[in-house]
Amino acid sequence: MRRVGLGVLFFAWLYGVPFLFVVGLVRRVSSPYVPTHAAARAFGATTETLLTTAMVLNLALPIAGALLARLARDAYWARHFAWSPAGVVLIYLVTAMAGSLATGPLFSWTPPVGLGSG
């Protein structure tokens, strides 16, 4: 059972975190039609929540997995999680590169007030 739990943790980090980043970045660069400024702020807040969650999980899941694998004395998953810091850094570098290519900051941004208020 513990192997399944460690596997779920590893694959949640390996596939779930990049998925959250992609969804957050796609939402960040899209310009959706929203009828009110409040809806635009809610859209921006959801986008920021996705990106923040991805950033936190990118660090927390590999650390938790490595710790749990060591505590369980599971060499198979300990080897997998031993390489995860490289993946963490890679994901942060890709996000930083996306942030440097963006026209505005990735975090704390909401669409302008004029959307749909005309």
Side-chain angles (χ1 to χ4, degrees):
M1 186 63 181
R2 69 178 178 212
R3 282 194 98 138
V4 172
L6 289 169
V8 167
L9 194 63
F10 183 76
F11 287 109
W13 168 72
L14 189 65
Y15 295 109
V17 169
F19 175 78
L20 287 175
F21 271 121
V22 168
V23 170
L25 291 173
V26 166
R27 285 178 60 99
R28 170 61 183 83
V29 297
S30 66
S31 54
Y33 172 76
V34 288
T36 64
H37 177 64
R41 290 192 60 82
F43 182 86
T46 302
T47 302
E48 183 169 343
T49 300
L50 283 168
L51 289 171
T52 303
T53 302
M55 294 289 276
V56 169
L57 288 177
N58 187 42
L59 186 61
L61 290 179
I63 290 172
L67 242 161
L68 290 173
R70 281 186 190 257
L71 289 174
R73 290 183 174 87
D74 192 332
Y76 178 77
W77 286 112
R79 278 193 311 273
H80 280 74
F81 282 109
W83 289 99
S84 62
V88 169
V89 170
L90 179 66
I91 289 173
Y92 282 139
L93 287 175
V94 168
T95 305
M97 187 173 57
S100 69
L101 297 174
T103 57
L106 290 182
F107 291 89
S108 299
W109 177 85
T110 56
V113 176
L115 276 178
S117 62

